[in-house]
């Protein structure tokens, strides 16, 4: 374990709205990825209950054997339509989807060019392949191009991998520039949109939030965040889906999702489609917060408050808990040394009054943000 010490999960119970119960204390949480509150939505809950009653509690086998229950095909179709992609493939989780994608797309003699701050699951996924992994400084398009200019021609296929929204920084990938690089250097673009799906681009995701919309070859996302459920997906061409069914070991050698989770995700997409203003709400509230704090305008539902040292971040998180707010201290190795931070995530269940109260508490702590 790196510097920063051992950590252990703290029992946390969801209460009403954005409140949680932690170590006996009721706190207003800014730490949930349930961005639209859909884990508590009556239609989503009802759909999952009905699926359990109809199909049982578990899938019973891998999707390639007998675990491919009818709801999975419905979810894949609904998702592909919502994303405007040809087809989609549902995995047990986002982590498993990333493993499956990289394993299928690249092998020996292939190149992966990735942002320095991509999610840990993508790094793990790249490590399980025999492809060469090169990283560029966060959102540094010139450095990405330098790597491609120097190395692209030595490899067969090339995959550029980025997060749509960076989970610890809250900023977006520069997808239009990256998409141009992909054309110029004959590469595929893969976007992990765990934190953009359901929120940006009327819920469709980060790529769809640009004008014109960007169309990556591989769109990845999680149902465990804004969809309030559980599972992961990859969307792209029908040919890619066929390849996944045959090469993605994390799909082939792992049990299909429980029907309840699939039905909940399907219902969640229904809510997203019907209520684009609900999808837009977390970003609006994040921007309300950055406005009140005098910070650069939020680009997603996530706003980091960078404080520097781990001890300082932990102390500030503790002081906020004493005032009734939960903002986790994120520290190395999750983020680079010297950039420990408090991380605020805004959801459609928050309101402006609660954010005003948080801003007041932060100002009382005289938070010095090294922005
Ligand atoms: C959460 C997350 C994942 C993993 O998704 P799960 O469904 O939780 O396994 C992958 N990438 C990013 C950027 C994430 O934030």
């Amino acid at each position: 374990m790196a510097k920063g010490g051992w950590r252990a999960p703290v029992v946390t119970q969801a209460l009403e709205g954005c409140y949680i119960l932690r170590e006996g204390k009721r706190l207003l949480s800014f730490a949930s990825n349930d961005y639209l509150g859909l884990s508590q939505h009556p239609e989503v809950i009802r759909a999952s209950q009905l699926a359990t009653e109809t199909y049982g509690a578990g899938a019973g086998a891998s999707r390639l054997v007998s675990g491919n229950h009818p709801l999975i095909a419905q979810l894949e179709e609904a998702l592909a339509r919502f994303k405007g992609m040809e087809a989609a493939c549902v995995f047990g989780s986002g982590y498993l989807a990333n493993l499956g994608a990289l394993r299928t797309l690249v092998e020996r003699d292939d190149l992966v060019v990735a942002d320095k701050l991509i999610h840990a699951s993508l790094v793990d996924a790249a490590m399980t392949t025999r492809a060469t992994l090169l990283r560029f400084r966060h959102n540094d398009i010139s450095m990405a191009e330098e790597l491609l200019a120097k190395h692209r021609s030595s490899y067969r296929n090339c995959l550029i991998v980025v997060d749509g929204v960076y989970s610890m920084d809250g900023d977006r990938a520069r997808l239009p520039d990256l998409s141009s690089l992909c054309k110029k250097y004959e590469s595929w673009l893969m976007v992990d949109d765990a934190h953009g799906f359901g929120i940006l681009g009327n819920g469709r995701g980060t790529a769809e939030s640009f004008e014109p919309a960007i169309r990556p070859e591989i769109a990845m996302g999680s149902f465990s965040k804004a969809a309030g459920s559980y599972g992961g997906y990859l969307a792209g061409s029908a040919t890619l889906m066929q390849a996944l069914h045959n090469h993605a070991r994390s799909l082939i050698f792992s049990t299909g999702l429980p029907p309840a989770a699939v039905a909940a995700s399907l219902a969640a997409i229904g809510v997203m489609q019907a209520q684009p203003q609900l999808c837009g709400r977390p970003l609006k509230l994040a921007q309300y917060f950055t406005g009140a704090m005098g910070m650069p305008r939020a680009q997603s539902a996530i706003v980091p408050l960078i404080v520097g040292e781990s001890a300082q971040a932990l102390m500030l998180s503790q002081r906020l808990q004493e005032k009734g707010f939960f903002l986790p201290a994120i520290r190395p190795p999750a983020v680079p040394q010297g950039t420990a931070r408090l991380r605020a995530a805004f959801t459609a269940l928050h309101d402006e009054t609660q954010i005003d109260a948080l801003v007041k508490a932060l100002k009382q702590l005289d938070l010095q943000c090294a922005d």
Side-chain angles (χ1 to χ4, degrees), residues 7-241:
R7 50 206 79 192
V10 175
V11 174
T12 305
Q13 187 189 335
L15 301 174
E16 81 292 350
C18 292
Y19 288 90
I20 56 171
L21 190 64
R22 233 174 119 86
E23 293 171 327
K25 206 163 173 208
R26 185 170 177 274
L27 301 169
L28 181 61
S29 171
F30 290 90
S32 176
N33 298 324
D34 185 11
Y35 293 115
L36 305 176
L38 293 184
S39 77
Q40 307 293 330
H41 193 286
E43 275 173 42
V44 175
I45 292 175
R46 187 70 201 116
S48 73
Q49 286 171 335
L50 206 63
T52 301
E53 285 159 20
T54 311
Y55 298 103
S62 158
R63 289 191 55 197
L64 274 295
V65 181
S66 64
N68 197 37
H69 52 87
L71 290 169
I72 296 185
Q74 284 181 43
L75 176 58
E76 290 179 339
E77 242 166 69
L79 180 74
R81 228 177 306 128
F82 187 50
K83 295 282 300 169
M85 301 291 246
E86 202 178 1
C89 181
V90 168
F91 284 74
S93 71
Y95 190 102
L96 294 173
N98 278 338
L99 276 184
L102 273 284
R103 265 291 190 145
T104 303
L105 290 161
V106 293
E107 52 193 355
R108 195 197 302 277
D109 302 327
D110 293 336
L111 176 64
V112 177
V113 175
D115 191 287
K116 190 82 188 130
L117 296 187
I118 50 167
H119 192 255
S121 59
L122 287 166
V123 179
D124 292 2
M127 301 293 215
T128 70
T129 74
R130 295 204 184 92
T132 301
L133 171 63
L134 299 175
R135 321 271 301 260
F136 56 89
R137 272 186 306 275
H138 179 51
N139 265 341
D140 185 339
I141 302 298
S142 339
M143 183 171 175
E145 172 143 29
E146 275 168 39
L147 292 176
L148 288 162
K150 190 155 171 221
H151 301 283
R152 172 66 187 96
S153 59
S154 314
Y155 295 88
R156 194 181 39 197
N157 295 316
C158 176
L159 179 67
I160 299 186
V161 180
V162 294
D163 287 9
V165 168
Y166 285 85
S167 53
M168 297 302 151
D169 291 75
D171 55 345
R172 299 183 199 186
R174 293 170 58 183
L175 294 181
D177 295 331
L178 291 162
S179 178
S180 307
L181 279 189
C182 282
K183 289 196 181 77
K184 187 167 171 192
Y185 292 92
E186 276 188 75
S187 306
W188 300 314
L189 181 60
M190 173 170 174
V191 179
D192 174 337
D193 210 19
H195 294 280
F197 177 64
I199 298 156
L200 304 177
N202 286 326
R204 286 169 176 79
T206 308
E208 293 81 348
S209 73
F210 291 92
E211 189 59 56
I214 301 301
R215 202 138 299 260
E217 279 75 19
I218 305 100
M220 175 275 172
S222 173
F223 295 117
S224 319
K225 286 163 184 160
S229 169
Y230 197 73
Y233 70 79
L234 296 172
S237 70
T239 318
L240 171 66
M241 299 310 131

Side-chain angles (χ1 to χ4, degrees), residues 268-288:
I269 291 176
V271 174
M272 289 173 190
Q273 248 161 339
Q275 297 186 51
Q277 56 325 333
L278 178 75
C279 297
R281 189 85 182 128
L283 176 63
K284 280 226 168 72
L285 289 174
Q287 291 175 337
Y288 178 82

